[in-house]
Amino acid sequence: MLSLKTITLDQIKTSPIALEFDEIIPDEVYTWEKADFEKYMVPIGNSRFPLTDYFTIEVEGDAESADDVKMVINGDCGRVKYIGSKMSAGEIIVNGDADLHCGAEMEGGSITVNGNADSYAGREMRGGSLTITGNTREFCGSSYIGDWRGMSGGTITLHGNAGKQLGECLSGGKIIVKGNCDILAGIHMTKGYIQIDGDVTRWPGGQMKNGDIVVNGELGRLLEGFTQEGIYDDPEIEGEVLSGKYIKYIGDIALNGKGRLWLNAEKNRDKL
């Protein structure tokens, strides 16, 4: 995307109560000028306060649509929730950490967090790309409380470590984790692809019905609901070509599942 309009928010101060940025997405602000941001009141708890209490804003260029917008947020946004939530176009770059629900329900466009992201990053995501250069906490790419529909499209790339229940209820899309992952990755998943390049604590794929989970590092403990099908050389899965030998498991048999769990054989010799 060639950005024609750049919106830059430089943080002045943080708030002990999280700011909510779900209204400040390219879809909504592509026609805004600096004066519009300066009069905008951002939700904080059950009240609203001037955005300019927390950020200075610069606007350069023009946009015919949200596709033409690049938003750059500079500062520690560890107390800024819903960054990029429900966006369908454009680009957001966060040069710092992000709070809860970053990229939640996004449908398109791209978000890059040059830092860590809190829980529920990319939850119920339907399209677009979310890249996090640091770590994220639990429920990345998952469903939300009381729902059974998780991420269904798009791509999440996590360069650090992931917390528990990564991709819970995943029904599509792709999640790539360059670091390690906590328990129950892919629990309840029905479709989609999860690749974890580091180590996994235990129990990936619990109650999964379909989809693929790849573990390139060492798996601490495998669920009993998976049966070994065989060993494969350089398998290609969902467009990803894996290098080396992989042990393929099918499960979770507790749900008559046909999900596929692939373990790097070299790192998991104890499971051969």
Side-chain angles (χ1 to χ4, degrees):
M1 181 191 73
L2 178 61
S3 294
L4 301 178
K5 187 169 194 172
T6 301
I7 301 166
T8 305
L9 286 76
D10 290 309
Q11 191 175 57
I12 302 169
K13 66 178 182 180
T14 60
S15 170
I17 302 174
L19 284 66
E20 298 181 14
F21 261 37
D22 50 317
E23 297 172 342
I24 309 178
I25 57 174
D27 305 72
E28 300 294 334
V29 304
Y30 73 90
T31 61
W32 287 21
E33 300 301 331
K34 185 175 180 178
D36 297 301
F37 286 97
E38 289 176 340
K39 66 184 180 184
Y40 175 72
M41 305 290 281
V42 62
I44 303 176
N46 59 3
S47 301
R48 286 180 178 259
F49 295 89
L51 178 62
T52 51
D53 285 355
Y54 301 93
F55 291 90
T56 61
I57 300 101
E58 294 296 332
V59 179
E60 298 178 316
D62 295 304
E64 293 183 358
S65 71
D67 288 312
D68 302 327
V69 173
K70 177 180 180 180
M71 292 182 57
V72 181
I73 308 172
N74 298 314
D76 176 11
C77 293
R79 291 273 70 196
V80 180
K81 299 193 297 187
Y82 299 107
I83 295 174
S85 175
K86 297 185 180 180
M87 68 183 281
S88 67
E91 179 181 9
I92 296 178
I93 298 173
V94 182
N95 291 315
D97 294 343
D99 202 351
L100 295 161
H101 308 293
C102 178
E105 300 181 82
M106 72 181 293
E107 298 181 1
S110 68
I111 302 173
T112 301
V113 178
N114 291 313
N116 302 317
D118 212 309
S119 304
Y120 291 107
R123 68 163 174 84
E124 300 172 285
M125 185 172 164
R126 295 186 284 275
S129 66
L130 170 61
T131 301
I132 302 166
T133 64
N135 305 318
T136 191
R137 298 182 66 183
E138 57 272 341
F139 306 117
C140 176
S142 74
S143 66
Y144 195 43
I145 299 168
D147 204 343
W148 289 89
R149 295 179 295 273
M151 176 180 175
S152 59
T155 301
I156 297 175
T157 304
L158 175 63
H159 290 267
N161 302 322
K164 66 182 181 180
Q165 293 183 231
L166 171 81
E168 179 242 11
C169 293
L170 188 74
S171 61
K174 182 179 292 187
I175 302 176
I176 307 291
V177 179
K178 303 294 186 181
N180 302 323
C181 187
D182 207 338
I183 64 172
L184 294 170
I187 184 171
H188 302 301
M189 72 182 283
T190 57
K191 194 178 179 182
Y193 178 87
I194 297 175
Q195 178 178 313
I196 303 160
D197 291 339
D199 298 335
V200 176
T201 308
R202 56 191 182 275
W203 306 326
Q207 297 185 321
M208 74 183 293
K209 293 182 179 179
N210 216 320
D212 292 277
I213 301 175
V214 175
V215 178
N216 285 322
E218 182 179 347
L219 173 60
R221 185 172 177 181
L222 176 69
L223 277 168
E224 296 177 354
F226 282 82
T227 58
Q228 188 177 139
E229 184 184 86
I231 299 174
Y232 295 79
D233 291 317
D234 304 323
E236 181 176 350
I237 309 159
E238 293 289 325
E240 299 284 341
V241 179
L242 307 178
S243 178
K245 293 183 180 293
Y246 282 79
I247 314 167
K248 181 180 179 182
Y249 292 85
I250 302 295
D252 187 339
I253 60 175
L255 294 180
N256 196 29
K258 302 183 186 303
R260 297 161 296 279
L261 175 62
W262 305 81
L263 300 185
N264 183 294
E266 178 67 26
K267 295 291 183 67
N268 294 278
R269 294 182 176 181
D270 59 320
K271 297 174 181 66
L272 289 170

